[in-house]
Structure formats: structure tokens, C-alpha cells
Amino acid sequence: MKLRYIIYTLIGLGIAYLVYYRISANKKIADEGAGMGKGKGGPGKGLQVNGIVVKTGDFSNDLEVTGTLEANESVELHSEVSGLVTSINFKEGSNVTKGSLLVKINDRDIQAQLQDALTKQKLSATNENRSRQLLEKGAISQEEYDTSLANLQSLKAQAQLIRAQLAKTSIFAPFSGKIGLRSISEGVYLTPAAVIANLSSINPLKISFSVPEKYIGQIKNGSEVSFTTDGYTKTFTGKVFAIEPGINTQTRTLQIKALVPNPNNELFPGSFAKIKLALTTTKDAIMIPNEAVIPVLKGKIVFISKNGKAQQVEVEAGTRTAENIVITSGLKVGDTVLTTGAMALKQDAPVKVTVVKN
């Protein structure tokens, strides 16, 4: 029984000690807070914070998006007819000019058909000439002459058709460009479904990208774009040359294409590009770091240092970048904006500011 009372007594003493310790600690914190600006001989140090001195500068409103490089012209080379490949007249990875012969398909059977058609056409032309002379003399009827003339025209059409088939056995470059790796060899039986090689025109290149519809009024033909790719550290440039006339209703974006000079063939179609598009430039803009702006219920505020104390200022903000935000009202040149300690700052709190460059 006595042991139980002893235990209860010890527990009560422990609780009383904890209450006393908590009250003492809170009083100490309150005393320190009240004496922050005072000390035994003068003003205290105040809260250590960083700050910047407000100044103006040119602000470029750049839009960063991603895009894809595309060939200016690109085509898979196919044959229109089936046949045995008799010659391949290009080297893989080489440049070819428009109209140059790339592949030749065996055409001996078509050549024979053409000779036969030309022979029949020549004979029909002789018959048509004889019939015309006889018609002029009244020896034959108009109907008989018309039959010989129709036969001649039919044979001419057949010869033209065979010539068209013969032309399909020669595959020419449709435009100047760089030809890729071939997938055929001489002697192979080529069909229209088989891909011979890819031909691409890569100087200039096209770069395709999309921008949100709210920027459509700031982008025009001739607008300059700059971009980087994973293959190079340098920045490339191009100019907008085509804008889709409508907004994509699913993504709410506008499709745009720009031309990119590629004289050294450094860039390749299909490459991923990080694009920076200059929209507008604002002169004499006030910019401060994003971390200096504190969102509140009715807008945004910042703290400035005035006579060694923090002062709360309501501001209006404009465009935001990854690091800075444009302030349209509330600050003036020369103000010292506090960039650290935002959560601990209060109105008229003493501060000691270390000014950093911005």
C-alpha cells in the first residue's frame, strides 16, 4: 500500500517538474523576442537576411518548348514495276542531284513490246496514207478511211503506253538530297512493296513544334527561334515560315514550323530539340527573385528593408521565369527587397541585411 503511494507521489512530482520546465522555457523565449532589438549597450543584431537592391533592366519574355527536326523533303524510294535490278547507280550516304538515275530494272521484254508496237504503227500509218489517197479519188468510202485512221491512232496509244511502262524501269531522284542506306542489291527481283532507300533533303531542315494558344498573337512568320539538341552544346537558330491556320482542339496548341540552315549537315532529321522562342522584350522592367514574393489571400507581398526594419509591401506581378518575376507595381528603383527569411519576417521586425548582386 505504501509502495503505491510512493509511486503516485513520484509521478506527480515528475508532472509538476515538466510543467515548471515548459513555463520557464516559454518565458525565456518571450524575453529573448522582446529584447531582440535591444541589448546592454545598444541595438541588437536583428534577423540575418539577404537582400537585393531593386534596379531596372530589359526583360525578354522567352517561351521554351520542345520540338522535332524534320527533313525539308523526304521520301522512300520504291519501284512502280516489278523486275530484276540490273544496276544501282548511287553510293549509300552520298548526295544525289534531282533527275539522276538511281536504279535500273531489266526492260528487255518491254523494249521488245515497244519495237513490235512501232512496227505495227508504221504499217498502219502506210495503210492510213493509202486509204486517204483512195478516199480523195473516190475509190473507197469515208467509213473505210475512218477505220484505217482509228487503227493507226490505237497503235500510237499502245506505243505510248509501252513507253510509259518502259520509263518506270528507270528510277530517278525526285529532288536533290542525301540518300541513305540501300536495302537492295544488283540481281534482286524488285517489287513495288520493297523500299530501295530513303532520300532526304536536309539543308535546310524544318523544325516542328507547338505553342499554347494564348501566345498566337505574339508569333508571326519570320519570328526567330533558337534551339539546342543533345548532340551539340552550341545553339542553332531558325525562322518561322509556316503556321497552322487552326488550333488543335484536343491540346489547345498551335502547330508551327521553322526553317533551319544546315550547311554542314550537322543536324539530322528526327532529333529532339529544346526550343526558345523570343516573344516580347520589356524595357526598364523591375525583376526580383521568385523566392522574395509571398502569396497572400488578397494577392502578393514582399518585404523591404527600411531604417533597419522589415516593411511589408503589396505588389503586382507579371511574367514569371524559372528564377525571376516581373513586378509591375509596388516597388521602385533603390528599394532593398529581402530574399531570405520570408517565413520568419514580420512587420517592423529588426533585420540585418546582406546585399547580394542580382
Side-chain angles (χ1 to χ4, degrees):
M1 198 72 176
K2 291 182 178 180
L3 180 60
R4 182 186 301 174
Y5 289 138
I6 293 172
I7 293 173
Y8 288 160
T9 302
L10 291 175
I11 292 174
L13 291 173
I15 293 173
Y17 175 75
L18 290 175
V19 172
Y20 172 77
Y21 176 79
R22 184 74 276 172
I23 292 173
S24 299
N26 289 342
K27 185 177 180 181
K28 184 178 179 180
I29 292 173
D31 291 342
E32 289 178 353
M36 181 179 289
K38 299 179 180 179
K40 290 182 178 180
K45 294 183 178 179
L47 183 64
Q48 296 281 345
V49 293
N50 292 337
I52 62 163
V53 176
V54 173
K55 59 183 180 181
T56 60
D58 294 343
F59 173 74
S60 295
N61 185 14
D62 295 333
L63 177 64
E64 294 184 357
V65 295
T66 58
T68 303
L69 290 172
E70 301 173 354
N72 189 34
E73 301 290 348
S74 182
V75 67
E76 284 186 346
L77 296 173
H78 291 263
S79 172
E80 293 186 77
V81 296
S82 299
L84 200 69
V85 176
T86 57
S87 66
I88 297 175
N89 303 316
F90 66 88
K91 291 183 179 180
E92 296 172 284
S94 64
N95 292 315
V96 297
T97 56
K98 180 179 179 178
S100 58
L101 179 64
L102 303 178
V103 177
K104 181 64 180 173
I105 297 174
N106 182 17
D107 61 359
R108 283 177 293 182
D109 55 340
I110 303 178
Q111 290 281 9
Q113 294 174 28
L114 180 60
Q115 290 302 319
D116 180 59
L118 291 175
T119 300
K120 291 179 180 179
Q121 179 183 325
K122 185 177 181 180
L123 177 59
S124 179
T126 302
N127 291 335
E128 185 273 337
N129 184 55
R130 186 181 299 113
S131 296
R132 186 173 65 254
Q133 292 177 1
L134 293 174
L135 177 64
E136 292 172 353
K137 295 178 180 179
I140 61 173
S141 65
Q142 181 68 41
E143 181 181 358
E144 290 175 305
Y145 172 73
D146 290 342
T147 300
S148 63
L149 179 61
N151 184 57
L152 174 61
Q153 292 175 338
S154 175
L155 289 173
K156 284 182 178 181
Q158 289 182 29
Q160 285 294 103
L161 180 61
I162 295 172
R163 285 192 179 95
Q165 289 295 107
L166 184 63
K168 293 178 181 179
T169 62
S170 299
I171 301 170
F172 299 93
F175 52 82
S176 298
K178 192 171 187 178
I179 201 161
L181 306 179
R182 60 182 170 89
S183 56
I184 63 169
S185 300
E186 289 189 12
V188 72
Y189 187 81
L190 187 62
T191 65
V195 178
I196 298 171
N198 291 315
L199 177 63
S200 299
S201 174
I202 60 174
N203 183 31
L205 283 173
K206 295 174 183 175
I207 186 167
S208 177
F209 58 97
S210 299
V211 299
E213 63 176 318
K214 66 180 180 179
Y215 297 110
I216 60 176
Q218 302 181 53
I219 301 173
K220 298 178 176 61
N221 283 341
S223 296
E224 188 169 292
V225 301
S226 59
F227 66 94
T228 58
T229 65
D230 291 337
Y232 296 94
T233 56
K234 68 178 182 178
T235 300
F236 300 89
T237 60
K239 286 189 177 180
V240 173
F241 77 95
I243 300 175
E244 188 71 30
I247 300 293
N248 186 314
T249 56
Q250 294 182 344
T251 61
R252 311 309 306 179
T253 57
L254 181 68
Q255 187 74 17
I256 298 173
K257 287 191 175 183
L259 276 181
V260 179
N262 190 30
N264 300 321
N265 295 337
E266 296 175 291
L267 300 170
F268 291 90
S271 297
F272 176 81
K274 298 177 183 178
I275 304 165
K276 182 178 289 186
L277 184 62
L279 299 179
T280 58
T281 300
T282 304
K283 300 289 186 180
D284 298 326
I286 292 177
M287 293 175 288
I288 64 173
N290 289 324
E291 59 268 22
V293 180
I294 305 170
V296 293
L297 185 61
K298 295 183 179 180
K300 297 179 176 65
I301 64 170
V302 299
F303 280 98
I304 66 172
S305 175
K306 192 171 183 180
N307 299 325
K309 293 184 178 181
Q311 300 292 319
Q312 181 178 299
V313 177
E314 293 184 5
V315 296
E316 293 183 5
T319 306
R320 181 189 296 268
T321 67
E323 297 178 352
N324 298 319
I325 186 169
V326 176
I327 300 300
T328 56
S329 68
L331 294 177
K332 61 181 183 296
V333 176
D335 286 344
T336 301
V337 176
L338 307 184
T339 57
T340 60
M343 302 307 295
L345 289 171
K346 294 182 180 180
Q347 180 72 11
D348 293 325
V351 290
K352 185 175 182 181
V353 184
T354 300
V355 177
V356 296
K357 293 183 178 180
N358 60 321

